[in-house]
Amino acid sequence: MGDNSTRAAQLQAGFLYFWVYAALGWVYEVFLEVVVYRWGFSNRGFLFGPYLPVYGVGALLILAFLRGLSRREWRVGRVNLMPVVVFVSVVVLTTVVELIASYLLEWTTGGWLWDYTRYTIQWQGRICLSASLRFGVGGMIVLYGLQPLLEKGMARLGDKRKPVFWVLFVLFAIDCISRIVR
């Protein structure tokens, strides 16, 4: 019984992390659109809610594959080069996630939600160096800054995270189902 409750708590925490990063991704995209590029506001995702699942998936993959690496050291003299290795790894991982997401969106909706054709170093308008480098910076913020804070917050929530999980899960499920049937 203890294993099942531990696993359930881990799944709940994982979903809450996914949701937080998906929501932060939405905020980041809207910030770029409204403040940086001054295009005006639009919902940046294909769902109704203020979240972009690709950011949640990307963050969870970063945590799953690169967290252990981020805690190691690789020193050349006094300099720890591991953050550089982690940064490059984040860039590669998030670029692959974005590329796969573009193909999945094209397959399911007939197109994808971004267009990098105006960027100098890009491929088919699906990925570009500029965005990949920004995702690298974001991944470093996730690994070294946000995730430790989220884990502390999750520990403070304790059993109170269950209703938060269920409310967000049901809202997300309704949003996904409504996207499928529209």
Side-chain angles (χ1 to χ4, degrees):
M1 172 113 173
D3 287 341
N4 286 340
S5 63
T6 301
R7 184 156 212 88
Q10 289 172 338
L11 288 172
Q12 288 171 359
F15 178 77
L16 292 174
Y17 296 145
F18 163 84
W19 198 89
V20 166
Y21 290 121
L24 288 173
W26 185 86
V27 169
Y28 165 74
E29 292 273 340
V30 168
F31 175 81
L32 283 179
E33 184 177 63
V34 173
V35 176
V36 176
Y37 300 128
R38 299 184 186 271
W39 294 336
F41 175 81
S42 69
N43 185 7
R44 296 297 298 157
F46 68 99
L47 298 171
F48 293 112
Y51 38 78
L52 299 174
V54 69
Y55 283 89
V57 169
L60 291 182
L61 289 172
I62 288 168
L63 293 170
F65 291 113
L66 301 176
R67 190 137 198 224
L69 191 64
S70 72
R71 294 176 174 167
R72 294 184 181 163
E73 288 189 5
W74 178 38
R75 294 200 170 272
V76 175
R78 293 183 181 180
V79 178
N80 182 10
L81 293 179
M82 193 53 72
V84 175
V85 172
V86 171
F87 177 79
V88 170
S89 300
V90 170
V91 167
V92 170
L93 179 64
T94 56
T95 301
V96 169
V97 167
E98 184 173 43
L99 184 61
I100 291 170
S102 77
Y103 285 115
L104 285 173
L105 282 168
E106 184 175 31
W107 178 58
T108 58
T109 67
W112 62 97
L113 300 172
W114 56 91
D115 180 11
Y116 294 133
T117 54
R118 294 183 187 148
Y119 289 78
T120 305
I121 302 173
Q122 55 90 17
W123 188 71
Q124 293 186 348
R126 296 173 187 273
I127 56 174
C128 74
L129 181 61
S130 172
S132 295
L133 293 174
R134 283 181 277 150
F135 296 150
V137 170
M140 299 297 278
I141 292 169
V142 165
L143 279 170
Y144 294 103
L146 289 176
Q147 189 60 25
L149 293 174
L150 284 175
E151 288 173 359
K152 287 178 185 175
M154 198 70 65
R156 281 190 187 160
L157 275 178
D159 285 338
K160 294 176 189 171
R161 74 173 166 226
K162 284 182 185 180
V164 174
F165 162 80
W166 283 110
V167 167
L168 291 175
F169 183 79
V170 167
L171 289 174
F172 186 71
I174 290 169
D175 201 353
C176 289
I177 291 166
S178 69
R179 173 64 176 138
I180 292 168
V181 297
R182 68 170 138 140

